[in-house]
Amino acid sequence: MRIRKKTVMYGVIAIALCVAFVASLFIPLDRGIFRRDELQSMTITDYRGVLLRQTLNDEQGRAHWMPLTHIAPEMLQATIAIEDKRFYSHPGIDLAAILRAAFTNARAGAVVSGGSTLTQQLVKTLEPAKKRSFASKLDEAWRALRLERMMAKDSILEQYVNRVSYGGNVRGVESAAWRYFHKHAHDVSLAEAAFLAALPNAPGMLDPYAHPEKAKARQKRVLECMRDQGMISQQDFERACAQLIEIAALQSTSRAPHVCDMVVRQYQSLNAAAVTTTIDEALQEVLTRVVTQHLKRLTKRHVTQASVIVIDNQTGEIRALIGSSDYFNVAAQGQVNGACALRQPGSAIKPLMYALSFDLGRTPAEIIPDIPTAIPDVRGDYVPENYDRMFHGPVSIRTALACSYNVPAVRVLESVGKDVFLQKLRACGLTSLTATAEYYGYGLTLGNAEVTLMELANAYRALSMKGVWTPCVLVRKAITADGVNVTMPDARPAVRVYSDESAFLVSDILSDATARTPAFGAAFRFPFACAVKTGTTKDYKDNWTLGYTTRYTLGVWAGNFDGSPMHGVSGVTGAGQIFTDLMTILHSPPYGIPPGPFQVPAGLERKTICPRSGCRPGDACPHTTTEWFVRGAVAASSSPDAACTVHRRYRVRDARGVEIERVYERYGSEYALWQQSMGLPAPPADAVSLEKTHALHAPALQTTHGERRARVLISSPNDGDSFKI
């Protein structure tokens, strides 16, 4: 009886254990272990899908989740053929495979074969055992059985191919396809699929870079399994075996590294898994090489860095962004992103001020005194100086802007108002200007306030877009690991910052090669319309050139990130030469074609003026030119409808006492010292004014301030000829 009682007791215990075990199989695994966010790397591509960077995940690996529908069928077949041919029929463990492996290992006297299913391998990947033992294998099998009851086969397969290691820090088939073939998982061939499916068996021993022959041998074994299991034909097998497997070279650096840094900072906290940028990687690479070549030329002038931004005018998309010439150059602080660094823009800020002045009624023809000037300010008199340390007397706004004279710019700002200009700059996206107008003073129009290259370039883009400002864009699309669109950061709406007419007038001046010749010579000569402006800080710490066509806006900064001055590098010799080459590339095949001219607004008309007064020429004016005016507008101090009062005809006696007619230039008393310094003659005391209103005569018969004489012609060089010495 005692024995029977024990037997019954043991039987009850056994039944209870069996019931408990069977019941436990229906207890699902913790769904938290299937989280993708910890596994997921952020994949950053250019706008064509070219990989720029894949970040490390929480496990210091690289992985990009890909649903089965986006993976080549051959890849899935190869994985099942080599790892678990009865995957779709077993309950989570394969007893036949376990017995076969046990027999094989016993006969070999070592572990040479395994019987783990894909489900077991997935469980081991999700929750690796601290120590391999018989007990851990039982636990693994038990969890595999539970997993099969909570998840469909295809879901298990998807989890496996996205989590398993393919060598190094590469997790998942998508990242493996990128690493080894620079392809997406849905684009791999049969031979490549078999090659990838071979790697999880022993990622270290089958490393394609260290042991390519072993990896190739394992690939053939995968293809044999696929053939023997009827997945492929003998012909497919032979073709795949014959295909040359070309392993992509390891890349120690990411493409467009500063762009990727910007994307990671902005989107990593938003759990973005895949980010498509607006960058054109091929263009970025070409421009980077050109920048590097120029910096080699400028090394002797102590220029170690340059930054570049290219913006598509119509879309606002950033096509290229070079933060530094060499991201990994520690000595030159290469990881600093110069496109986003605050620097003084120098004269590159002036076009934004002149565009504002045009909206307030000024014209390109208006004459501004470029003479010694002292303007009262909170810190005392502000005394501007020109870059060439000279004064040029009466100059038109067209000349003042094209030649980048400082004194006229300050005088115009005085009439515009510092506060008004500062508000306009902020409206143009220069949000880094956080101080007051009094803090910046009149130096605001000469570029003493720090801005970023990205901000300023996009402000120039507003000029190219007829005065309408919109934010520039670096990211086209961002999605999470689950395929949900990431909510993009709120962007400022489009805003008109200048009139169409004012934007065109600035564009016309900045693309006028003749107007800038006195200051810049033959620099910036393009076979297409290109508005361009340079900027150099007083101490040569910053060197800028920005400009635009109807297609692109381009900004270039050159200098040193440590703030040390360059050795006499101007906007023309430094950033300007980089700008010239890059702008030419942007409008040459395969990246673009020559752009069209800037479109003249309907509200403008062209009129003939005297260039010394900006007014309608009289019969005494020796030269004339044409200029744009807003229809019906009244200029502040010059008008094509008012007669020129600068050129005046007098009757004087020459050295022989003979009366002759002579033209003199008469300006206000404020120009007296300048006229004297320039040696411009004034009419003698006994001169008789001859105020007449004759019709406009041929200007070739009159000198600027001399008597009538025979016409002089220049036979060579021809108008528009350029000479490079």
Coordinates of all heavy atoms in Angstrom, one line a residue, residues 415-498:
S415 N 19.9 107.1 -43.1 CA 18.6 107.5 -43.5 C 17.5 106.4 -43.4 O 16.4 106.7 -43.1 CB 18.6 108.0 -45.0 OG 18.9 106.9 -45.8
V416 N 18.0 105.2 -43.6 CA 17.0 104.0 -43.4 C 16.6 103.8 -42.0 O 15.5 103.6 -41.6 CB 17.7 102.8 -44.0 CG1 16.9 101.5 -43.6 CG2 17.8 102.9 -45.5
G417 N 17.6 103.9 -41.1 CA 17.4 103.6 -39.7 C 17.9 102.3 -39.3 O 17.6 101.3 -39.9
K418 N 18.7 102.2 -38.2 CA 19.3 101.0 -37.7 C 18.3 100.0 -37.3 O 18.3 98.8 -37.6 CB 20.3 101.3 -36.6 CG 21.6 102.0 -37.0 CD 22.4 102.4 -35.8 CE 21.7 103.4 -34.9 NZ 22.6 103.9 -33.9
D419 N 17.3 100.5 -36.5 CA 16.2 99.6 -36.1 C 15.4 99.0 -37.2 O 15.1 97.8 -37.2 CB 15.3 100.3 -35.1 CG 15.9 100.6 -33.8 OD1 16.1 99.6 -33.0 OD2 16.1 101.8 -33.4
V420 N 15.1 99.8 -38.2 CA 14.4 99.3 -39.3 C 15.2 98.2 -40.1 O 14.6 97.2 -40.5 CB 14.0 100.4 -40.3 CG1 13.3 99.9 -41.6 CG2 13.1 101.4 -39.6
F421 N 16.4 98.5 -40.3 CA 17.3 97.5 -41.0 C 17.4 96.2 -40.1 O 17.4 95.1 -40.7 CB 18.7 98.1 -41.2 CG 19.6 97.2 -42.0 CD1 19.2 96.4 -43.0 CD2 21.0 97.1 -41.6 CE1 20.1 95.6 -43.7 CE2 21.9 96.3 -42.3 CZ 21.4 95.5 -43.3
L422 N 17.6 96.3 -38.8 CA 17.7 95.1 -38.0 C 16.5 94.3 -38.1 O 16.6 93.0 -38.2 CB 18.0 95.5 -36.6 CG 18.2 94.4 -35.6 CD1 19.3 93.4 -36.0 CD2 18.4 94.9 -34.2
Q423 N 15.3 94.9 -38.1 CA 14.1 94.1 -38.2 C 14.0 93.4 -39.5 O 13.5 92.3 -39.6 CB 12.9 95.0 -37.9 CG 12.7 95.6 -36.5 CD 12.7 94.5 -35.5 OE1 12.0 93.5 -35.7 NE2 13.5 94.6 -34.4
K424 N 14.4 94.1 -40.6 CA 14.4 93.5 -41.9 C 15.4 92.3 -42.0 O 15.0 91.3 -42.5 CB 14.8 94.5 -42.9 CG 14.8 94.0 -44.4 CD 13.4 93.6 -44.8 CE 12.5 94.7 -44.9 NZ 11.2 94.3 -45.5
L425 N 16.5 92.4 -41.3 CA 17.5 91.3 -41.3 C 16.8 90.1 -40.6 O 17.0 88.9 -41.1 CB 18.8 91.7 -40.6 CG 19.6 92.7 -41.4 CD1 20.9 93.0 -40.6 CD2 20.1 92.1 -42.8
R426 N 16.2 90.3 -39.5 CA 15.5 89.2 -38.8 C 14.4 88.6 -39.7 O 14.2 87.4 -39.6 CB 15.0 89.7 -37.5 CG 16.1 90.0 -36.5 CD 15.6 90.7 -35.2 NE 16.6 91.0 -34.3 CZ 16.5 91.9 -33.3 NH1 15.4 92.6 -33.1 NH2 17.5 92.0 -32.4
A427 N 13.7 89.4 -40.4 CA 12.6 88.9 -41.3 C 13.2 88.1 -42.4 O 12.6 87.1 -42.9 CB 11.8 90.1 -41.9
C428 N 14.5 88.3 -42.7 CA 15.2 87.6 -43.8 C 15.8 86.3 -43.2 O 16.6 85.6 -43.9 CB 16.3 88.4 -44.4 SG 15.6 89.7 -45.5
G429 N 15.5 86.0 -42.0 CA 16.0 84.7 -41.4 C 17.2 84.8 -40.6 O 17.8 83.8 -40.2
L430 N 17.8 86.0 -40.4 CA 19.0 86.1 -39.6 C 18.7 86.2 -38.1 O 18.8 87.2 -37.5 CB 19.8 87.4 -40.1 CG 20.2 87.4 -41.6 CD1 21.0 88.7 -41.9 CD2 20.9 86.2 -42.0
T431 N 18.2 85.1 -37.6 CA 17.7 85.1 -36.3 C 18.8 85.1 -35.2 O 18.5 85.2 -34.0 CB 16.8 83.8 -36.0 OG1 17.6 82.6 -36.4 CG2 15.6 83.8 -36.9
S432 N 20.0 84.9 -35.6 CA 21.1 85.0 -34.7 C 21.4 86.4 -34.2 O 22.2 86.6 -33.3 CB 22.4 84.4 -35.4 OG 22.7 85.1 -36.6
L433 N 20.8 87.4 -34.9 CA 21.0 88.8 -34.5 C 20.0 89.1 -33.3 O 18.9 89.6 -33.5 CB 20.7 89.7 -35.7 CG 21.6 89.5 -36.9 CD1 21.2 90.4 -38.0 CD2 23.0 89.7 -36.5
T434 N 20.4 88.8 -32.1 CA 19.6 88.9 -31.0 C 19.8 90.2 -30.2 O 19.0 90.5 -29.3 CB 19.8 87.7 -30.0 OG1 21.2 87.6 -29.7 CG2 19.4 86.4 -30.7
A435 N 20.8 90.9 -30.4 CA 21.1 92.2 -29.7 C 20.3 93.3 -30.3 O 19.5 93.2 -31.2 CB 22.6 92.5 -29.7
T436 N 20.4 94.5 -29.6 CA 19.6 95.6 -30.1 C 20.4 96.4 -31.2 O 21.6 96.1 -31.4 CB 19.4 96.6 -29.0 OG1 20.7 97.1 -28.5 CG2 18.7 96.0 -27.8
A437 N 19.7 97.2 -31.9 CA 20.3 98.0 -33.0 C 21.4 98.9 -32.5 O 22.4 99.1 -33.1 CB 19.2 98.8 -33.7
E438 N 21.2 99.5 -31.3 CA 22.2 100.4 -30.7 C 23.4 99.6 -30.3 O 24.5 100.1 -30.4 CB 21.6 101.0 -29.4 CG 20.5 102.1 -29.7 CD 21.0 103.2 -30.6 OE1 22.2 103.5 -30.6 OE2 20.2 103.7 -31.4
Y439 N 23.3 98.3 -30.0 CA 24.5 97.5 -29.7 C 25.3 97.3 -30.9 O 26.5 97.4 -30.9 CB 24.0 96.1 -29.2 CG 25.1 95.1 -29.0 CD1 25.9 95.2 -27.8 CD2 25.4 94.2 -30.0 CE1 27.0 94.3 -27.6 CE2 26.5 93.3 -29.8 CZ 27.2 93.3 -28.6 OH 28.3 92.4 -28.5
Y440 N 24.7 97.1 -32.1 CA 25.4 96.9 -33.3 C 25.9 98.2 -33.9 O 27.0 98.3 -34.5 CB 24.6 96.1 -34.3 CG 24.2 94.8 -33.9 CD1 22.8 94.4 -33.8 CD2 25.1 93.8 -33.6 CE1 22.4 93.1 -33.4 CE2 24.7 92.5 -33.2 CZ 23.4 92.2 -33.1 OH 23.0 90.9 -32.8
G441 N 25.1 99.2 -33.8 CA 25.5 100.5 -34.3 C 25.5 100.6 -35.8 O 24.9 99.7 -36.5
Y442 N 26.1 101.6 -36.4 CA 26.1 101.7 -37.8 C 27.0 100.7 -38.5 O 26.9 100.5 -39.7 CB 26.6 103.1 -38.2 CG 25.5 104.2 -37.9 CD1 25.6 105.0 -36.8 CD2 24.4 104.3 -38.8 CE1 24.6 105.9 -36.5 CE2 23.4 105.2 -38.5 CZ 23.5 106.0 -37.4 OH 22.6 107.0 -37.1
G443 N 27.8 100.0 -37.7 CA 28.6 98.9 -38.3 C 27.8 97.7 -38.7 O 28.3 96.8 -39.3
L444 N 26.5 97.8 -38.4 CA 25.6 96.7 -38.8 C 25.6 96.5 -40.3 O 25.5 95.4 -40.8 CB 24.1 97.0 -38.3 CG 23.1 95.9 -38.6 CD1 23.4 94.6 -37.8 CD2 21.7 96.5 -38.1
T445 N 25.6 97.6 -41.1 CA 25.6 97.5 -42.5 C 27.0 97.1 -43.1 O 27.1 96.9 -44.3 CB 25.1 98.8 -43.2 OG1 24.8 98.6 -44.5 CG2 26.2 99.9 -43.0
L446 N 28.0 97.2 -42.3 CA 29.3 96.7 -42.7 C 29.7 95.3 -42.2 O 30.8 94.9 -42.4 CB 30.4 97.7 -42.2 CG 30.2 99.2 -42.6 CD1 31.3 100.1 -42.1 CD2 30.0 99.3 -44.1
G447 N 28.7 94.7 -41.6 CA 28.9 93.3 -41.2 C 29.6 93.0 -39.9 O 30.3 92.0 -39.8
N448 N 29.3 93.9 -38.9 CA 30.0 93.6 -37.6 C 29.2 92.7 -36.7 O 29.7 92.2 -35.7 CB 30.2 95.0 -36.9 CG 28.9 95.6 -36.4 OD1 27.8 95.1 -36.8 ND2 29.0 96.6 -35.6
A449 N 27.9 92.3 -37.1 CA 27.1 91.4 -36.4 C 27.3 90.0 -36.9 O 27.2 89.8 -38.1 CB 25.6 91.9 -36.4
E450 N 27.5 89.1 -36.0 CA 27.7 87.7 -36.4 C 26.5 87.0 -36.9 O 25.4 87.0 -36.3 CB 28.4 86.9 -35.3 CG 29.7 87.4 -34.9 CD 30.4 86.6 -33.8 OE1 29.6 86.0 -33.0 OE2 31.6 86.5 -33.7
V451 N 26.6 86.3 -38.1 CA 25.5 85.5 -38.6 C 26.1 84.2 -39.1 O 27.3 84.0 -39.1 CB 24.8 86.2 -39.8 CG1 24.2 87.5 -39.3 CG2 25.8 86.5 -40.9
T452 N 25.3 83.3 -39.6 CA 25.8 82.0 -40.1 C 25.7 82.0 -41.6 O 24.9 82.8 -42.2 CB 25.0 80.8 -39.6 OG1 23.7 80.8 -40.2 CG2 24.9 80.8 -38.1
L453 N 26.6 81.2 -42.2 CA 26.6 81.1 -43.7 C 25.2 80.6 -44.2 O 24.7 81.1 -45.2 CB 27.7 80.2 -44.1 CG 27.8 79.9 -45.6 CD1 28.2 81.2 -46.4 CD2 28.9 78.9 -45.9
M454 N 24.6 79.7 -43.5 CA 23.3 79.2 -43.9 C 22.2 80.3 -43.9 O 21.4 80.4 -44.8 CB 22.9 78.0 -43.0 CG 21.6 77.4 -43.4 SD 21.1 76.0 -42.4 CE 22.4 74.8 -42.7
E455 N 22.2 81.0 -42.8 CA 21.2 82.1 -42.7 C 21.4 83.1 -43.8 O 20.4 83.5 -44.5 CB 21.4 82.9 -41.4 CG 20.9 82.1 -40.2 CD 21.2 82.9 -38.9 OE1 22.1 83.7 -38.9 OE2 20.4 82.7 -37.9
L456 N 22.6 83.6 -44.0 CA 22.9 84.6 -45.0 C 22.6 84.2 -46.4 O 22.1 84.9 -47.3 CB 24.3 85.2 -44.9 CG 24.7 86.4 -45.6 CD1 23.7 87.6 -45.3 CD2 26.1 86.9 -45.3
A457 N 23.0 82.9 -46.7 CA 22.8 82.4 -48.1 C 21.3 82.3 -48.4 O 20.8 82.6 -49.5 CB 23.4 81.0 -48.2
N458 N 20.5 81.9 -47.4 CA 19.1 81.8 -47.6 C 18.4 83.2 -47.7 O 17.4 83.4 -48.4 CB 18.4 81.0 -46.5 CG 17.0 80.5 -46.9 OD1 16.9 80.0 -48.0 ND2 16.1 80.6 -46.0
A459 N 19.0 84.2 -47.1 CA 18.6 85.6 -47.2 C 18.8 86.0 -48.7 O 18.0 86.7 -49.3 CB 19.2 86.5 -46.2
Y460 N 20.0 85.7 -49.2 CA 20.3 86.0 -50.6 C 19.3 85.3 -51.5 O 18.9 85.8 -52.6 CB 21.7 85.6 -51.0 CG 22.8 86.6 -50.7 CD1 23.0 87.1 -49.5 CD2 23.5 87.1 -51.8 CE1 24.0 88.1 -49.3 CE2 24.5 88.1 -51.6 CZ 24.7 88.5 -50.3 OH 25.7 89.5 -50.1
R461 N 18.9 84.1 -51.2 CA 18.0 83.3 -52.0 C 16.6 84.1 -52.1 O 16.0 84.0 -53.1 CB 17.7 82.0 -51.4 CG 16.7 81.1 -52.1 CD 16.5 79.7 -51.5 NE 15.2 79.3 -51.7 CZ 14.3 79.2 -50.8 NH1 14.5 79.5 -49.6 NH2 13.1 78.8 -51.1
A462 N 16.3 84.8 -51.0 CA 15.0 85.6 -51.1 C 15.1 86.7 -52.2 O 14.1 87.0 -52.9 CB 14.8 86.3 -49.8
L463 N 16.3 87.2 -52.4 CA 16.5 88.2 -53.5 C 16.3 87.5 -54.9 O 15.7 88.1 -55.8 CB 17.9 88.8 -53.5 CG 18.2 89.7 -52.2 CD1 19.6 90.1 -52.2 CD2 17.3 90.9 -52.2
S464 N 16.8 86.2 -55.0 CA 16.6 85.5 -56.2 C 15.2 85.1 -56.5 O 14.8 84.9 -57.6 CB 17.5 84.2 -56.2 OG 16.9 83.2 -55.4
M465 N 14.4 85.0 -55.4 CA 13.0 84.6 -55.5 C 12.1 85.9 -55.5 O 11.0 85.8 -54.9 CB 12.6 83.7 -54.4 CG 13.4 82.3 -54.5 SD 13.0 81.5 -56.0 CE 11.3 81.1 -55.8
K466 N 12.5 87.0 -56.0 CA 11.7 88.2 -56.2 C 11.2 88.7 -54.9 O 10.1 89.3 -54.8 CB 10.5 87.9 -57.1 CG 10.9 87.4 -58.5 CD 9.7 87.1 -59.4 CE 10.2 86.6 -60.7 NZ 9.0 86.3 -61.6
G467 N 12.1 88.6 -53.8 CA 11.8 89.2 -52.6 C 11.0 88.4 -51.6 O 10.7 88.8 -50.5
V468 N 10.7 87.1 -51.9 CA 9.9 86.2 -51.0 C 10.9 85.3 -50.3 O 11.6 84.6 -50.9 CB 8.9 85.4 -51.8 CG1 8.1 84.5 -50.9 CG2 7.9 86.4 -52.5
W469 N 10.8 85.3 -49.0 CA 11.7 84.5 -48.1 C 10.9 83.2 -47.7 O 9.8 83.3 -47.2 CB 12.2 85.2 -46.9 CG 13.1 84.4 -46.0 CD1 14.5 84.4 -46.1 CD2 12.7 83.6 -45.0 NE1 15.0 83.5 -45.1 CE2 13.9 83.0 -44.4 CE3 11.5 83.2 -44.4 CZ2 13.9 82.1 -43.4 CZ3 11.5 82.3 -43.4 CH2 12.7 81.7 -42.8
T470 N 11.5 82.1 -47.8 CA 11.0 80.8 -47.2 C 12.2 80.1 -46.6 O 13.4 80.3 -47.0 CB 10.4 79.9 -48.3 OG1 11.4 79.6 -49.3 CG2 9.2 80.5 -48.9
P471 N 11.9 79.2 -45.6 CA 13.0 78.5 -45.0 C 13.7 77.6 -45.9 O 13.1 77.1 -46.9 CB 12.3 77.7 -43.8 CG 11.0 78.3 -43.7 CD 10.6 78.9 -45.0
C472 N 15.0 77.4 -45.8 CA 15.7 76.4 -46.6 C 15.5 75.0 -45.9 O 15.1 74.9 -44.7 CB 17.2 76.7 -46.7 SG 18.1 76.9 -45.1
V473 N 15.6 74.0 -46.7 CA 15.2 72.6 -46.2 C 16.3 71.7 -46.4 O 17.0 71.6 -47.4 CB 14.0 72.1 -47.0 CG1 13.5 70.7 -46.6 CG2 12.8 73.1 -47.0
L474 N 16.6 70.9 -45.3 CA 17.6 69.9 -45.4 C 17.1 68.4 -45.4 O 17.8 67.5 -45.8 CB 18.6 70.0 -44.2 CG 19.8 69.1 -44.1 CD1 20.7 69.4 -45.3 CD2 20.6 69.4 -42.8
V475 N 15.9 68.2 -45.0 CA 15.3 66.9 -44.9 C 14.0 66.8 -45.7 O 13.1 67.7 -45.5 CB 15.0 66.5 -43.4 CG1 14.2 65.2 -43.4 CG2 16.3 66.4 -42.7
R476 N 13.9 65.8 -46.6 CA 12.7 65.6 -47.3 C 11.7 64.8 -46.6 O 10.5 65.0 -46.6 CB 13.0 64.9 -48.7 CG 13.5 65.8 -49.8 CD 13.5 65.1 -51.1 NE 13.8 66.0 -52.2 CZ 13.9 65.6 -53.5 NH1 13.6 64.4 -53.8 NH2 14.2 66.5 -54.4
K477 N 12.2 63.7 -45.9 CA 11.2 62.8 -45.3 C 12.0 62.1 -44.2 O 13.2 61.7 -44.3 CB 10.7 61.8 -46.3 CG 9.6 60.8 -45.7 CD 9.1 59.9 -46.8 CE 8.1 59.0 -46.3 NZ 7.6 58.0 -47.3
A478 N 11.2 61.8 -43.1 CA 11.8 61.0 -42.0 C 10.7 60.1 -41.5 O 9.5 60.5 -41.3 CB 12.3 62.0 -40.8
I479 N 11.0 58.8 -41.2 CA 10.1 57.9 -40.8 C 10.6 57.1 -39.6 O 11.9 57.0 -39.4 CB 9.6 56.9 -41.9 CG1 10.8 56.1 -42.4 CG2 8.9 57.6 -43.0 CD1 10.5 55.0 -43.4
T480 N 9.8 56.5 -38.8 CA 10.2 55.7 -37.6 C 10.4 54.3 -38.1 O 10.2 53.9 -39.3 CB 9.1 55.7 -36.5 OG1 7.9 55.0 -37.1 CG2 8.8 57.1 -36.1
A481 N 10.9 53.4 -37.2 CA 11.1 52.0 -37.6 C 9.8 51.3 -38.0 O 9.8 50.3 -38.7 CB 11.7 51.3 -36.4
D482 N 8.7 51.8 -37.5 CA 7.4 51.2 -37.9 C 6.8 51.8 -39.1 O 5.6 51.5 -39.5 CB 6.4 51.4 -36.7 CG 6.9 50.7 -35.4 OD1 7.4 49.5 -35.6 OD2 6.7 51.3 -34.3
G483 N 7.5 52.7 -39.8 CA 7.1 53.3 -41.0 C 6.2 54.5 -40.9 O 5.5 54.9 -41.8
V484 N 6.1 55.0 -39.7 CA 5.3 56.2 -39.4 C 6.1 57.5 -39.7 O 7.2 57.6 -39.3 CB 4.8 56.2 -37.9 CG1 3.9 57.5 -37.7 CG2 4.0 55.0 -37.6
N485 N 5.5 58.4 -40.4 CA 6.1 59.6 -40.7 C 6.4 60.4 -39.5 O 5.5 60.6 -38.6 CB 5.3 60.5 -41.7 CG 5.2 59.9 -43.1 OD1 6.2 59.3 -43.5 ND2 4.2 60.2 -43.8
V486 N 7.6 60.9 -39.4 CA 8.0 61.8 -38.2 C 7.5 63.2 -38.5 O 7.7 63.7 -39.6 CB 9.5 61.8 -38.0 CG1 9.9 62.8 -36.9 CG2 10.0 60.4 -37.7
T487 N 6.9 63.7 -37.5 CA 6.4 65.1 -37.6 C 7.6 66.0 -37.7 O 8.4 66.1 -36.9 CB 5.5 65.5 -36.4 OG1 4.4 64.6 -36.3 CG2 5.0 66.9 -36.6
M488 N 7.6 66.7 -38.9 CA 8.7 67.6 -39.1 C 8.6 68.9 -38.2 O 7.5 69.3 -37.9 CB 8.8 68.1 -40.6 CG 8.7 66.9 -41.6 SD 10.2 65.9 -41.6 CE 11.2 66.9 -42.7
P489 N 9.8 69.4 -37.8 CA 9.7 70.6 -37.0 C 9.0 71.8 -37.7 O 9.1 71.9 -38.9 CB 11.2 71.0 -36.8 CG 11.9 69.7 -37.0 CD 11.1 68.9 -38.0
D490 N 8.2 72.5 -37.0 CA 7.5 73.6 -37.6 C 8.4 74.6 -38.3 O 9.5 75.0 -37.8 CB 6.7 74.4 -36.5 CG 5.5 73.6 -36.0 OD1 5.1 72.7 -36.7 OD2 5.1 73.8 -34.8
A491 N 8.1 75.0 -39.5 CA 8.9 75.9 -40.3 C 8.2 77.2 -40.4 O 6.9 77.3 -40.4 CB 9.2 75.3 -41.7
R492 N 8.9 78.3 -40.5 CA 8.3 79.6 -40.7 C 7.6 79.7 -42.0 O 8.1 79.1 -43.0 CB 9.4 80.7 -40.6 CG 9.9 81.0 -39.2 CD 11.0 82.1 -39.2 NE 10.6 83.2 -40.0 CZ 11.5 84.3 -40.2 NH1 12.7 84.2 -39.8 NH2 11.1 85.3 -40.9
P493 N 6.5 80.3 -42.1 CA 5.8 80.4 -43.4 C 6.5 81.4 -44.3 O 7.4 82.2 -43.9 CB 4.4 81.0 -43.0 CG 4.7 81.8 -41.7 CD 5.8 81.0 -41.0
A494 N 6.2 81.3 -45.6 CA 6.8 82.2 -46.6 C 6.3 83.7 -46.3 O 5.2 83.9 -45.8 CB 6.3 81.9 -48.0
V495 N 7.3 84.6 -46.5 CA 7.0 86.0 -46.2 C 7.7 86.9 -47.2 O 8.8 86.6 -47.6 CB 7.4 86.4 -44.7 CG1 8.9 86.1 -44.6 CG2 7.1 87.8 -44.4
R496 N 7.0 87.9 -47.7 CA 7.6 88.8 -48.6 C 8.4 89.8 -47.8 O 7.9 90.6 -47.0 CB 6.6 89.6 -49.5 CG 7.2 90.6 -50.4 CD 6.2 91.1 -51.4 NE 6.0 90.1 -52.4 CZ 6.8 89.8 -53.4 NH1 8.0 90.4 -53.5 NH2 6.5 88.9 -54.3
V497 N 9.7 89.8 -48.1 CA 10.6 90.7 -47.3 C 11.0 91.9 -48.2 O 11.5 92.9 -47.6 CB 11.9 90.0 -46.8 CG1 11.5 89.0 -45.7 CG2 12.6 89.2 -47.9
Y498 N 11.0 91.8 -49.5 CA 11.3 92.9 -50.4 C 10.3 92.9 -51.5 O 9.7 91.8 -51.9 CB 12.7 92.8 -50.9 CG 13.8 92.8 -49.9 CD1 14.6 91.7 -49.6 CD2 14.1 94.0 -49.2 CE1 15.6 91.7 -48.7 CE2 15.1 94.1 -48.3 CZ 15.8 92.9 -48.0 OH 16.8 93.0 -47.1

